[in-house]
């Protein structure tokens, strides 16, 4: 990746940002997502520098991977524009009722762009935020041209998915935390104070990433973020999480809202045991 890639990224961002700038919510959200994209690239580079499985890859692989890291959320800008145009923020941008799939939008925006329309890049743009089952069921990516292309595609996808999660953790830990998230501040007090949903707890206990559509409370939202621990792909990613205390941060936030202290301890024990196994 080079300066031309960053300039191209800025050219895709600016017109959509300018189109929504009279909405404070959309303007703040778009600016956060721009900064997030840069952070994903930065953290992705740290993962690659520390992860032996990635260090051994070719320069071409790293160039494709860095493009996928930077452009993974380019569809967010179109998503925000669409929500602004359609007045979809009338419900205060509730994070459990989004109308658009920014991954698909990223894919659509880049699939015809020379230098970016390689299947190894496009898979990460489209599926970085999906459950892996959705990726596995996508006929476009189910059968790559050859086994090496498929291996690289999956390696880049795992890299982008990890960097995306760690960048979100970084923001929560060092910048805004979930209490300052624009979606949190517009939640009703009822949603903030509601307890963990049984379906969400079942998913967590089964060591599955919690489905966004099953989230009904702020406690659920926090447990969903904690469940990302089950979807990291590289040992370096777990090490970075441990060094920065990302999961302890989320556990502390959950403890403030979760009144079931027995369940709280079970969640904490599972997180700590799982993380210890991954960084040995």
């Amino acid at each position: 990746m080079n300066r031309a890639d960053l300039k191209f990224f800025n050219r895709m961002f600016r017109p959509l940002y300018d189109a929504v700038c009279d909405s404070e919510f959309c303007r703040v959200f778009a600016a956060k997502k721009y900064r997030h994209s840069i952070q994903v690239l930065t953290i992705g580079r740290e993962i690659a520098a520390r992860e032996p499985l990635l260090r051994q890859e070719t320069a071409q692989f790293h160039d494709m991977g860095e493009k996928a890291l930077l452009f993974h959320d380019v569809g967010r800008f179109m998503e925000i524009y669409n929500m602004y145009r359609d007045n979809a923020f009338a419900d205060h941008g509730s994070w459990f009722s989004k109308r658009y799939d920014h991954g698909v939008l990223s894919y659509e925006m880049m699939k015809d762009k020379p230098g970016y329309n390689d299947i190894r890049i496009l898979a990460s743009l489209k599926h970085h935020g999906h459950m892996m089952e959705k990726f596995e069921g996508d006929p476009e990516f189910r059968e790559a041209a050859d086994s090496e292309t498929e291996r690289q595609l999956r390696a880049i996808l795992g890299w982008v998915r990890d960097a995306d999660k760690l960048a979100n953790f970084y923001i929560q830990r060092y910048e805004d935390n979930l209490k300052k998230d624009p979606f949190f501040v517009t939640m009703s007090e009822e949603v903030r104070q509601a307890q963990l949903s049984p379906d969400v707890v079942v998913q967590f206990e089964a060591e599955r990433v919690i489905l966004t559509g099953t989230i009904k409370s702020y406690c659920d939202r926090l447990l969903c973020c904690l469940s990302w621990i089950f979807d990291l792909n590289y040992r370096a990613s777990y090490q970075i999480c441990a060094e920065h205390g990302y999961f302890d941060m989320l556990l502390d936030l959950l403890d403030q809202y979760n009144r079931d202290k027995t369940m709280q301890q079970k969640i904490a024990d599972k997180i700590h045991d799982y993380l210890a196994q991954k960084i040995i």
Side-chain angles (χ1 to χ4, degrees):
M1 201 193 81
N2 53 45
R3 289 182 179 273
D5 296 306
L6 185 56
K7 288 181 179 179
F8 183 47
F9 180 76
N10 288 331
R11 287 201 303 272
M12 300 193 77
F13 163 74
R14 194 71 212 188
L16 295 170
Y17 176 80
D18 290 343
V20 304
C21 65
D22 64 326
S23 164
E24 181 180 3
F25 190 100
C26 294
R27 185 174 66 251
V28 170
F29 193 22
K32 284 178 178 289
K33 289 305 175 182
Y34 179 91
R35 187 167 70 253
H36 168 73
S37 296
I38 302 301
Q39 288 171 327
V40 168
L41 174 62
T42 301
I43 292 171
R45 285 172 169 170
E46 181 181 359
I47 294 171
R50 297 178 57 162
E51 176 56 54
L53 294 174
L54 294 174
R55 286 204 307 266
Q56 68 187 11
E57 298 287 358
T58 65
Q60 181 193 33
F61 173 95
H62 283 273
D63 180 69
M64 288 188 295
E66 291 195 354
K67 287 177 178 177
L69 289 163
L70 179 61
F71 285 87
H72 80 287
D73 258 2
V74 69
R76 278 289 192 194
F77 309 136
M78 183 61 72
E79 174 193 32
I80 294 167
Y81 171 75
N82 288 343
M83 297 181 85
Y84 170 85
R85 178 197 63 198
D86 299 339
N87 197 30
F89 282 96
D91 63 351
H92 305 294
S94 168
W95 37 258
F96 47 75
S97 62
K98 290 192 293 184
R99 305 181 186 183
Y100 311 98
D101 186 327
H102 73 276
V104 172
L105 290 172
S106 295
Y107 166 82
E108 292 292 337
M109 291 170 71
M110 304 302 292
K111 68 179 183 180
D112 296 320
K113 300 290 191 300
Y116 303 93
N117 58 355
D118 189 291
I119 189 174
R120 289 165 288 189
I121 298 173
L122 293 176
S124 292
L125 270 56
K126 188 173 184 179
H127 291 295
H128 67 273
H130 294 157
M131 295 294 180
M132 282 300 293
E133 290 82 359
K134 192 164 186 177
F135 161 73
E136 298 291 355
D138 190 331
E140 181 173 2
F141 304 113
R142 192 181 305 145
E143 295 182 6
D146 55 72
S147 59
E148 178 58 16
T149 298
E150 181 178 359
R151 185 196 67 78
Q152 291 184 17
L153 182 156
R154 289 177 177 273
I156 291 172
L157 177 58
W159 183 13
V160 173
R161 288 170 69 91
D162 282 16
D164 187 29
K165 292 179 179 67
L166 267 61
N168 282 314
F169 287 151
Y170 180 90
I171 290 173
Q172 294 163 13
R173 177 73 172 84
Y174 295 109
E175 296 183 7
D176 289 344
N177 84 40
L178 287 175
K179 287 188 177 180
K180 295 181 181 178
D181 187 288
F183 296 120
F184 174 80
V185 298
T186 56
M187 286 178 194
S188 69
E189 191 62 25
E190 180 182 5
V191 171
R192 291 186 191 181
Q193 299 300 329
Q195 293 301 285
L196 288 167
S197 305
D199 185 28
V200 164
V201 173
V202 168
Q203 292 174 71
F204 180 82
E205 290 179 338
E207 299 184 356
R208 300 199 308 267
V209 176
I210 291 168
L211 295 169
T212 304
T214 63
I215 294 172
K216 297 180 175 64
S217 68
Y218 184 51
C219 282
D220 290 351
R221 169 69 164 159
L222 289 168
L223 192 60
C224 177
C225 292
L226 282 163
S227 76
W228 293 351
I229 194 172
F230 306 129
D231 192 41
L232 295 177
N233 298 276
Y234 292 105
R235 184 168 179 262
S237 301
Y238 285 104
Q239 291 172 332
I240 293 169
C241 286
E243 290 165 9
H244 289 270
Y246 290 149
F247 294 113
D248 285 335
M249 165 201 68
L250 291 167
L251 286 167
D252 288 344
L253 274 173
L254 180 60
D255 189 48
Q256 295 175 34
Y257 288 85
N258 182 19
R259 294 190 292 271
D260 186 341
K261 298 309 176 184
T262 300
M263 177 57 65
Q264 180 70 24
Q265 189 60 53
K266 289 181 179 179
I267 292 168
D269 289 345
K270 179 175 278 291
I271 289 291
H272 292 145
D273 290 348
Y274 194 92
L275 184 60
Q277 293 171 17
K278 294 295 183 178
I279 61 176
I280 291 175

